Amino acid sequence: MIVPLSSSFRLALPRAAAILLVGALVVSCATSTEMPQAQGRAAVAADVNIERVVLQAYRAIGDRHLYEPNFRALSAETYRGFASADPALVLETSDTSFTVKRDGREVMSRPTPGDTSDGRAWGGMLAELMAGSIDASPALHSGDRQTLIRQAMAATTKQLDRNSRYADPEEARDNRFQRDGGGGIGITVERTDDKKILLRAVQDGSPAGKAGLQVGDQILAIDGESMLDRPLSDIVRHLRGTVGTPVLMTVLRPAQGRELTVGMKRSRIIPTTVVYERRGDIALIVLSGFNSATTDNLRTAIDKARTEIGPGLAGLIIDMRGNRGGLLDQAQTVAEQFVGEGTIFSTQGRHPDSRRTYRSSTARKIADLPVVVLMNGGSASASEIVAAALQDRGRAVVVGTTSYGKGTVQTVVRLANEGELILTWSRLQAPSGYTWNELGVLPSICTAKVGNGGQIATTTVDSNQGSLMRWHALRNPTQEEVTDLRKICPPGENSPDRDIEIASQLLHDRALYAHAVQAGIYQAAR
């Protein structure tokens, strides 16, 4: 999350969600340049001036994107995306001008700026061409402005990098809710194959929890309006709202075969990203994302494990398989819970403000409980920061498969139309100096090559040490090198119980655990 910045960097990875947290959806590693909050949907709809949005976006790209853009090429693609609804519009480009024609007749021509890196100048020229095209084209003039903006911004971000993207106003609201919370009732809902909307989780202490709603309840109606056969987005929209406002929900409780109607008042809900489960003398803590409450909830989970298990607590399993990221500051503070004074990660980018080293202090360090981190091919961004830091600093053994490889930070620019432009801002580096972008974090123990926990031994760890050394030694790997390295421990999307079994064996075999920890930091110690 840079210039007047809000507190959040975004590290997460976009994907379609099958499960929606009511009042939230979690996002990735980013910084944020937020505009003042518009008041209500009417304000959003009233300010959809596409020229203003494009000019704002181009300024941000010119100032902040990781790579210096070529706005000549970018502007041509932005215009073509914008004008895609009217095939009669054609953009002709030359070294000195951009000319728009419709059905062969010139609509408008503008001289091109001399500096291809001047986002303000190119954005201003493009805004004029767009305004003229809207006046000349019935299809664009009558078209939905948010759609035109989406088409223009999608074409723009496609030319930048794989992690830059545009979020339209509805998605952006979900993103903001996911990062910082908002008015809701504290449930997770899921649509089943037979189109039922069921509660899959109820947050402790939330309005839903206090009202007695239970996992498995089927939502029938909200505020008297039937929710049968409605999409998940409708459910979320009806349940979100201003903190303190009432909501009435009717559910079917299958176990009792009866309907219940309960009234609640919305409160500020931050999606749950930390779940603790006792596994004998081990604390299994699942981190599903990184939002503004993750570190506090992690501390609470560890305190609960210490109280429940007591002095016999053998260690922690931090399960970040499928964790697609979240807020940068939360990645830092989560890592700080485990590592002493020193580097957690660093960032490098084009803008001077993007070049930083993030350090921890001993003040927040959790007692030296053994830690095993679980990762897979769905682990990205903020989760990779934590895994790489704990592995490099000798604080945990990473177990699983190679992670996704999103080693960049995005800055979130709030646009005039209430959408968000999510721009890649900097590249991440582990404490030992390597960058895992596209490469991923290589586990110390690759479970893709292990049949079961009983096969783990020092030879298992040693067999991977050469690969770890090569992995960490690379600073600017070629695409061919990245492809070859990722074959060593192919990234998997599954989360098998075998990973937890292997982690448990490590925590119960202190000599093997110590050997695996040392193997992970070998490169940095050379």
Side-chain angles (χ1 to χ4, degrees):
M1 321 226 110
I2 308 183
V3 199
L5 289 180
S6 81
S7 62
S8 45
F9 266 92
R10 192 174 177 211
L11 289 165
L13 182 68
R15 68 171 176 180
I19 300 176
L20 299 183
L21 284 165
V22 171
L25 290 175
V26 182
V27 279
S28 73
C29 203
T31 72
S32 150
T33 54
E34 298 279 345
M35 294 177 56
Q37 178 73 41
Q39 298 300 312
R41 294 181 182 272
V44 174
D47 190 7
V48 288
N49 184 300
I50 186 169
E51 302 95 87
R52 181 183 174 191
V53 170
V54 168
L55 183 57
Q56 185 183 4
Y58 267 48
R59 287 174 175 170
I61 293 168
D63 289 344
R64 301 171 207 167
H65 192 257
L66 177 61
Y67 307 111
E68 184 172 277
N70 180 336
F71 281 106
R72 177 182 296 279
L74 194 63
S75 297
E77 293 306 315
T78 301
Y79 180 85
R80 289 171 183 137
F82 153 80
S84 58
D86 187 352
L89 283 171
V90 175
L91 177 67
E92 296 182 354
T93 65
S94 72
D95 291 341
T96 58
S97 66
F98 273 23
T99 301
V100 174
K101 293 183 177 180
R102 188 170 190 278
D103 290 328
R105 300 175 60 182
E106 182 175 310
V107 172
M108 180 180 288
S109 184
R110 288 292 182 269
T112 55
D115 184 354
T116 59
S117 66
D118 188 344
R120 288 165 173 78
W122 283 90
M125 180 209 70
L126 193 58
E128 291 184 26
L129 293 179
M130 288 177 166
S133 299
I134 289 173
D135 289 341
S137 168
L140 298 188
H141 191 271
S142 62
D144 176 70
R145 292 298 186 266
Q146 295 286 17
T147 299
L148 295 180
I149 291 171
R150 182 173 63 251
Q151 291 169 339
M153 289 296 96
T156 300
T157 56
K158 186 178 180 180
Q159 303 304 310
L160 297 176
D161 65 276
R162 69 171 183 165
N163 293 316
S164 292
R165 65 188 185 90
Y166 168 73
D168 64 21
E170 183 174 357
E171 182 186 355
R173 282 191 291 271
D174 285 338
N175 290 347
R176 290 190 285 271
F177 209 119
Q178 204 172 1
R179 292 192 293 264
D180 302 318
I185 65 168
I187 61 175
T188 304
V189 295
E190 183 179 36
R191 189 180 188 86
T192 64
D193 291 340
D194 55 358
K195 298 185 178 180
K196 294 178 181 178
I197 305 294
L198 302 182
L199 275 61
R200 288 306 185 205
V202 179
Q203 199 172 101
D204 290 342
S206 66
K210 293 176 181 177
L213 292 177
Q214 299 177 4
V215 172
D217 287 349
Q218 179 188 349
I219 297 177
L220 301 179
I222 300 172
D223 290 332
E225 183 177 345
S226 174
M227 293 291 114
L228 296 177
D229 298 322
R230 301 286 284 273
L232 281 173
S233 57
D234 280 3
I235 309 295
V236 173
R237 187 173 65 253
H238 279 78
L239 289 176
R240 289 179 181 169
T242 304
V243 172
T245 55
V247 60
L248 196 68
M249 180 185 289
T250 302
V251 300
L252 172 65
R253 184 157 295 165
Q256 300 175 3
R258 64 189 183 99
E259 293 184 10
L260 303 171
T261 298
V262 296
M264 298 159 280
K265 286 188 177 180
R266 297 177 177 91
S267 66
R268 183 167 182 262
I269 299 297
I270 300 177
T272 299
T273 58
V274 180
V275 176
Y276 157 68
E277 178 186 345
R278 179 175 180 174
R279 293 287 183 100
D281 59 355
I282 291 172
L284 172 62
I285 298 175
V286 178
L287 291 187
S288 58
F290 290 79
N291 64 17
S292 59
T294 297
T295 302
D296 288 342
N297 289 338
L298 174 63
R299 291 193 196 106
T300 300
I302 293 173
D303 288 344
K304 183 176 180 180
R306 283 174 164 160
T307 300
E308 186 175 306
I309 301 174
L313 178 60
L316 310 176
I317 300 173
I318 308 297
D319 188 351
M320 295 192 292
R321 295 174 297 180
N323 181 325
R324 305 178 79 85
L327 300 179
L328 184 70
D329 61 349
Q330 292 292 306
Q332 177 184 2
T333 53
V334 164
E336 281 178 341
Q337 306 310 304
F338 302 100
V339 299
E341 187 174 1
T343 300
I344 299 174
F345 64 96
S346 58
T347 58
Q348 292 290 327
R350 183 167 58 93
H351 195 288
D353 290 347
S354 70
R355 299 190 281 273
R356 291 187 57 187
T357 297
Y358 295 78
R359 301 180 182 277
S360 64
S361 66
T362 55
R364 291 183 175 179
K365 186 178 178 184
I366 286 174
D368 287 329
L369 286 168
V371 179
V372 176
V373 171
L374 303 184
M375 301 286 281
N376 67 4
S379 306
S381 213
S383 61
E384 292 175 300
I385 286 179
V386 174
L390 269 58
Q391 184 183 57
D392 265 14
R393 295 290 304 276
R395 192 57 189 89
V397 180
V398 178
V399 169
T401 65
T402 300
S403 62
Y404 177 83
K406 185 185 176 296
T408 58
V409 179
Q410 281 63 49
T411 179
V412 179
V413 181
R414 186 124 161 218
L415 299 172
N417 70 325
E418 291 295 299
E420 290 179 346
L421 180 63
I422 301 156
L423 290 176
T424 296
W425 158 259
S426 61
R427 184 179 288 105
L428 290 155
Q429 290 181 324
S432 61
Y434 81 98
T435 179
W436 61 85
N437 193 43
E438 298 191 8
L439 185 62
V441 176
L442 179 68
S444 300
I445 296 176
C446 178
T447 56
K449 297 181 177 180
V450 177
N452 56 63
Q455 294 179 324
I456 296 296
T458 55
T459 54
T460 308
V461 177
D462 293 342
S463 66
N464 204 37
Q465 192 164 3
S467 298
L468 276 168
M469 291 179 64
R470 182 184 171 201
W471 202 279
H472 288 219
L474 288 173
R475 292 299 178 263
N476 295 292
T478 66
Q479 190 58 54
E480 183 178 0
E481 287 174 320
V482 167
T483 300
D484 287 344
L485 285 169
R486 284 176 68 82
K487 291 177 182 177
I488 293 172
C489 181
E493 292 294 331
N494 296 326
S495 299
D497 289 340
R498 181 183 62 207
D499 291 0
I500 297 175
E501 294 170 5
I502 291 171
S504 298
Q505 182 188 343
L506 284 166
L507 294 175
H508 286 131
D509 187 336
R510 294 303 175 89
L512 180 59
Y513 173 83
H515 185 78
V517 166
Q518 186 60 34
I521 63 172
Y522 181 81
Q523 309 84 310
R526 295 292 286 178

